[in-house]
Amino acid sequence: MYNLLFLKVKIEGRKNLEDLNNGAILVSNHVHILDSVMVGLAAFPRRVAYTGMKANFKRFFIGSLVSMFGTIPIPDSSFENKVFFIEMTKLVNKGKWIHFYPEGELVPYDNELREFKKGAFKLAVNASSPVLPILIDFQYVGKKKKRKIYLRIGKPIYPDLTISSNDAIKELQEQTKNAME
């Protein structure tokens, strides 16, 4: 309700969600403390599983919210990482939508895309599933420079499964960043 009433987020490109009948990887920039809620509103009535850093689970108040939303912690070790990708691939193959912040950390109100980590794109290649790019953008309007928030949903981008996994991951990462820029 806070998003709708006070932030007044404008969602563009919701039609791009309609083509996704199976599992998918949603990626967005991480620029607002409530951006996961914004993504959830855009995806409604579908439920999105979010990924988050383990450190967030230990933070006062935030940890409770992160747990309440059913966020899946991103592992720290290489062994946990293998298990994580196996389990996430199973979820996507069952039709689940998994959300990642490929930039890795929250930088409030940043309108510049930062470097993307490859985890979301690795999962998309492993699961042979599309990536749905989502850009959260801030525009300042009027004499008082009132901030407006736009959530722009791009078209799904499918991994090229005819090339090596590493090349497919890099290509998908680049295509997604270009689509978001």
Side-chain angles (χ1 to χ4, degrees):
M1 292 302 278
Y2 182 82
N3 256 338
L4 293 173
L5 295 175
F6 296 104
L7 295 178
K8 297 183 178 161
V9 177
K10 304 244 189 247
I11 300 172
E12 297 175 353
R14 191 176 255 151
K15 185 171 176 28
N16 292 324
L17 296 169
E18 295 171 6
D19 297 333
L20 297 175
N21 297 321
N22 296 316
I25 314 305
L26 283 62
V27 299
S28 70
N29 51 331
H30 198 8
V31 291
H32 195 282
I33 196 159
L34 295 176
D35 50 21
S36 59
V37 178
M38 295 176 204
V39 170
L41 280 173
F44 187 81
R46 293 279 304 249
R47 290 198 64 210
V48 177
Y50 298 92
T51 59
M53 296 185 315
K54 279 186 177 182
N56 287 339
F57 289 83
K58 297 174 185 165
R59 294 178 64 197
F60 179 74
F61 185 68
I62 298 292
S64 300
L65 286 175
V66 168
S67 294
M68 186 175 69
F69 281 117
T71 303
I72 303 161
I74 296 172
D76 296 327
S77 74
S78 58
F79 173 75
E80 288 176 328
N81 211 25
K82 278 185 179 179
V83 173
F84 174 81
F85 279 104
I86 290 168
E87 294 304 315
M88 291 299 100
T89 300
K90 287 178 188 175
L91 286 175
V92 173
N93 287 335
K94 289 180 182 176
K96 193 75 175 163
W97 287 3
I98 310 289
H99 180 271
F100 281 83
Y101 294 111
E103 296 170 312
E105 65 179 310
L106 170 65
V107 177
Y109 305 106
D110 188 9
N111 269 339
E112 297 292 322
L113 286 178
R114 297 174 307 266
E115 199 62 38
F116 283 5
K117 296 177 193 262
K118 68 179 184 175
F121 311 102
K122 178 180 177 177
L123 179 57
V125 170
N126 287 354
S128 304
S129 294
V131 169
L132 190 73
I134 300 171
L135 179 71
I136 300 169
D137 186 25
F138 302 96
Q139 294 185 357
Y140 300 87
V141 295
K143 290 181 181 178
K144 293 184 179 180
K145 296 290 184 191
K146 184 176 179 186
R147 183 174 34 228
K148 288 197 169 202
I149 302 173
Y150 291 87
L151 188 137
R152 297 175 177 17
I153 303 167
K155 294 182 187 291
I157 303 170
Y158 292 83
D160 182 350
L161 302 176
T162 64
I163 58 180
S164 75
S165 290
N166 284 339
D167 289 343
I169 291 166
K170 285 179 191 169
E171 184 177 287
L172 193 55
Q173 193 174 10
E174 286 175 24
Q175 288 177 332
T176 303
K177 190 164 186 185
N178 289 340
M180 290 172 69
E181 287 175 336

